[in-house]
Amino acid sequence: MNPYVLATLLSSLGLGTTLTFASSHWLLAWMGLEVNTLAIVPLMAQHHHPRAVEATTKYFLIQATAAAVILFASTTNAWITGEWNMTNMSDPVATTMILAALSLKVGLAPMHFWMPEVLQGLDLLTGLILSTWQKLAPFALIIQTSQTFDPLLLTALGLTSSLVGGWGGLNQTQLRKVLAYSSIAHMGWMVIILQHAPHLTFLALLMYILMTSAAFLTLKLSYATKVGTLATTWSKAPLLTATTALVLLSLGGLPPLTGFMPKWLILQELAKQDLPLTATVMALAALISLYFYLRLCYAMTLTISPNTATSTTPWRTQTNQISAPLALSTVMALGLLPIAPTMQRWVI
């Protein structure tokens, strides 16, 4: 892609998200979401592969549907209340419709079906943008309007997303689909605590972005898109294999890695809010997710070449990819747990 076109598209991505962040008016927020969608569509379709075009079409239709519902719901609310301000959401039907549309945008279960299919059709770098940056604008709107939503509905969305994210990833062999289900499960953790402690939602989102960035950049460096390919990386880059296994365990939430921090604090807060059953179900859902991360770690570090039947062992060639972002995100995805109290105070 032409560097000037790429710079324009990336600037538009930043502009769309910033517009949504800065808005307290529904029309401006909707405009930011639309700029965001239109900026990423050419990035998704740049390879002109049938799978990429199919993924782009699906993504565009889903995002356009969600944006139309947001516009309809905000217009309905403005018609009833007389103002477009986000903080004045008094109509329950409009509020529920906006939550459904924003859930569709970020891929919360049961509106998650597009996410694995779309991510599977993209290259890893565009998949990284879709899994991290594209979540920011809709999540900012969810956080801003969270106090107007029905708590039972948010709890149901969080529990469903965590369970679906765990179950869906169990039998996957495509790594992008595994990361898509991982994303759905993490979104569930963020939504479940939203009304009780929004600062923990923000912390979980930050940690999720760090860990997912490390995972995607690692896969990009090793050119791995399937579990079978992942099993041959130990011969090419042993150190990278070790850190990748740790990043995957961090995504699963194992102590003493960074991923344990948000899960620990969220479960603690749910227990404080006298919701022990919800906390128990979330902890069990995290165990289901942990199983498929362990499966990937097993394939990477404990299987040797003859056991990976259809994969060709790659040559140990010198890569020309930039590894500084990978190194930085990996260090943060593995080592931030000791500063959890500081992080918590900073986020509050």
Side-chain angles (χ1 to χ4, degrees), residues 106-109 112 115-116 135 139 157-170 177-193 204-205 208 211-212 251-253 262-263 266 281-290 292-293:
V106 294
L108 279 167
H112 67 284
M115 181 96 185
K135 307 277 187 195
F139 234 94
L157 278 172
L159 286 171
T160 312
S161 298
S162 298
L163 289 166
V164 165
W167 281 111
L170 285 180
K177 281 193 177 180
V178 168
L179 287 169
Y181 282 110
S182 164
S183 172
I184 293 162
H186 278 90
M187 292 295 130
W189 279 89
M190 293 170 214
V191 164
I192 199 91
I193 201 68
L205 181 61
Y208 159 77
M211 293 183 293
T212 306
L251 270 167
K263 287 185 168 61
I266 287 169
V281 174
M282 291 300 286
L284 291 173
L287 285 178
I288 301 171
S289 295
L290 184 60
F292 66 74
Y293 294 123

Side-chain angles (χ1 to χ4, degrees), residues 144-207:
Q144 280 186 66
T145 52
S146 62
Q147 297 311 314
T148 60
F149 298 140
D150 181 9
L152 194 62
L153 194 57
L154 281 176
T155 306
L157 278 172
L159 286 171
T160 312
S161 298
S162 298
L163 289 166
V164 165
W167 281 111
L170 285 180
N171 62 344
Q172 299 297 334
T173 55
Q174 298 286 342
L175 295 175
R176 283 166 292 189
K177 281 193 177 180
V178 168
L179 287 169
Y181 282 110
S182 164
S183 172
I184 293 162
H186 278 90
M187 292 295 130
W189 279 89
M190 293 170 214
V191 164
I192 199 91
I193 201 68
L194 188 56
Q195 284 191 325
H196 307 297
H199 63 276
L200 288 184
T201 297
F202 180 69
L203 179 68
L205 181 61
L206 190 65
M207 295 301 110

